[in-house]
Amino acid sequence: MTILLTGAAGYIGSHTAVALAEAGYDVAIVDDFSNSSPEAVRRCEALTGKKMPLYEADVADKAAMARIFAETKPAAVIHFAGHKAVGESVAKPLKYYRNNLDTTLSLLECMADAGCKRFIFSSSATVYGAKAAVPYTEESETGGCTNPYGWTKFMIEQIAGGVAKADPAMSVVLLRYFNPVGAHPSGRIGENPSGIPNNLMPYITQVAVGRLPHLNVFGDDYDTPDGTGVRDYIHVVDLAAGHVKALEYALSHTGTEVFNLGTGHGVSVLELVHAFEAATGVKVPYVIAPRRPGDLASVYADCSKAKRVLGWKAEKTVQDMCADSWRWQSNNPNGY
């Protein structure tokens, strides 16, 4: 059974490709390498001993995607492709709306043409916006997003849900990620951002490895225990395992279902810095910087539904996240 992954040369996609291959699925990958490297796919193949056909294409290119569907005949699609930096989305909203919506619309149209009825989407906790109270449940209010990135995720959820409502044979699973960190325990694949990292953990590891002089902590005056932002950090290997469970669900159900994927526990920026230092023995110098546009004080999940329905829960600790992140970065100081 072939599962088509869009954007799977990226961080979460590559770890999910490994998890799916290890679970016995055949994996085909589409990526345009705008924010990823084909080396990640080669390493996934080496880790699993399984060939993963790789197609270099823009998911918004319907003609290219139609050819890929004809060749791979996937039983399901997991959609990771999309721009993902919150701060950049505030500065370049049109780039985000154009890319993230166009790729999804083209993909869903190609799925309809090919008769592929199983769609799993890489959504985000950003869909909950500023109004919902933490911890977020799947029933918490969505919309009111604080940045264009979040709005694209919200809009795609509406689009995919509409497709499922119109086609009773369709299965849509929306996975709302919290904050993925960590790396494969082999140290062979991990997060490899272009330029200055937008996410906290790769920023920490690049400071630790000497690529950056210090960490910028964006705001220390939030209404949190130490004034720094609180997030629900989830190990990417746990997150990948959640996709395998979501696929199993999608293959046997129809309609639209939503699941939070997180740990259910909030960790502040400074708590994560100190945990990293304790796990690795490496000091991380930091300076306090102004808040970033679009950031919230506290974001963490209620993940009880995923445990109840999918039989999934996060297993790895913050110490695991830090140690595996450092193993990846120290073994690959310049990325792929």
Side-chain angles (χ1 to χ4, degrees), residues 8-170:
Y11 176 42
I12 300 168
S14 59
H15 288 80
T16 301
V18 168
L20 288 167
E22 290 176 343
Y25 295 98
D26 296 319
V27 174
I29 293 172
V30 185
D31 207 297
D32 66 358
F33 306 122
S34 59
N35 190 32
S36 60
S37 168
E39 176 62 21
V41 180
R42 289 190 284 269
R43 294 190 186 188
C44 289
E45 292 178 329
L47 285 169
T48 61
K50 295 186 72 170
K51 182 68 177 171
M52 298 180 183
L54 174 60
Y55 300 88
E56 183 173 358
D58 182 346
V59 179
D61 183 342
K62 283 188 66 178
M65 292 303 297
R67 290 192 294 271
I68 293 166
F69 271 87
E71 188 168 325
T72 59
K73 298 179 173 60
V77 174
I78 305 181
H79 183 32
F80 297 102
H83 296 322
K84 62 179 185 177
V86 168
E88 184 187 44
S89 80
V90 175
K92 300 178 180 179
L94 291 177
K95 175 182 178 180
Y96 275 67
Y97 288 120
R98 172 65 70 188
N99 180 79
N100 293 4
L101 297 179
D102 277 5
T103 52
T104 305
L105 291 167
S106 294
L107 179 60
L108 287 167
E109 287 169 348
C110 287
M111 287 181 65
D113 291 342
C116 182
K117 303 290 188 180
R118 302 291 180 262
F119 180 72
I120 298 165
F121 176 55
S122 168
S123 193
S124 167
T126 55
V127 300
Y128 291 116
K131 295 180 181 179
V134 293
Y136 298 154
T137 73
E138 290 82 357
E139 288 73 40
S140 295
E141 182 180 354
T142 58
C145 304
T146 60
N147 52 76
Y149 164 78
W151 277 116
T152 66
K153 295 295 188 181
F154 175 82
M155 291 174 185
I156 292 166
E157 286 196 3
Q158 306 309 306
I159 292 165
V163 170
K165 189 172 183 179
D167 182 355
M170 190 77 179

Side-chain angles (χ1 to χ4, degrees), residues 159-322:
I159 292 165
V163 170
K165 189 172 183 179
D167 182 355
M170 190 77 179
S171 178
V172 168
V173 179
L174 307 172
L175 298 178
R176 293 175 181 162
Y177 307 164
F178 281 70
N179 289 70
V181 297
H184 193 272
S186 67
R188 295 289 291 155
I189 58 173
E191 190 167 9
N192 185 41
S194 300
I196 301 297
N198 290 290
N199 296 329
L200 178 59
M201 184 62 86
Y203 209 128
I204 289 172
T205 60
Q206 288 192 18
V207 171
V209 83
R211 284 177 62 178
L212 295 171
H214 60 261
L215 171 69
N216 289 313
V217 176
F218 296 107
D220 66 346
D221 57 350
Y222 288 105
D223 184 17
T224 61
D226 63 15
T228 64
V230 169
R231 296 294 181 268
D232 187 338
Y233 296 98
I234 175 173
H235 198 296
V236 68
V237 170
D238 281 334
L239 187 60
H243 288 75
V244 177
K245 292 292 189 180
L247 173 62
E248 293 171 357
Y249 181 89
L251 291 171
S252 58
H253 292 77
T254 57
T256 300
E257 203 60 79
V258 181
F259 297 101
N260 287 337
L261 296 183
T263 65
H265 303 288
V267 177
S268 77
V269 173
L270 291 183
E271 285 174 335
L272 192 64
V273 169
H274 299 325
F276 180 88
E277 292 175 336
T280 65
V282 180
K283 192 70 176 172
V284 179
Y286 65 87
V287 299
I288 304 299
R291 295 185 183 190
R292 292 184 301 189
D295 276 353
L296 299 175
S298 293
V299 175
Y300 58 96
D302 179 330
C303 301
S304 57
K305 182 180 176 182
K307 182 179 180 181
R308 183 178 71 254
V309 178
L310 301 180
W312 172 91
K313 67 173 183 175
E315 303 286 352
K316 292 183 177 289
T317 66
V318 173
Q319 289 71 29
D320 295 329
M321 300 173 199
C322 294

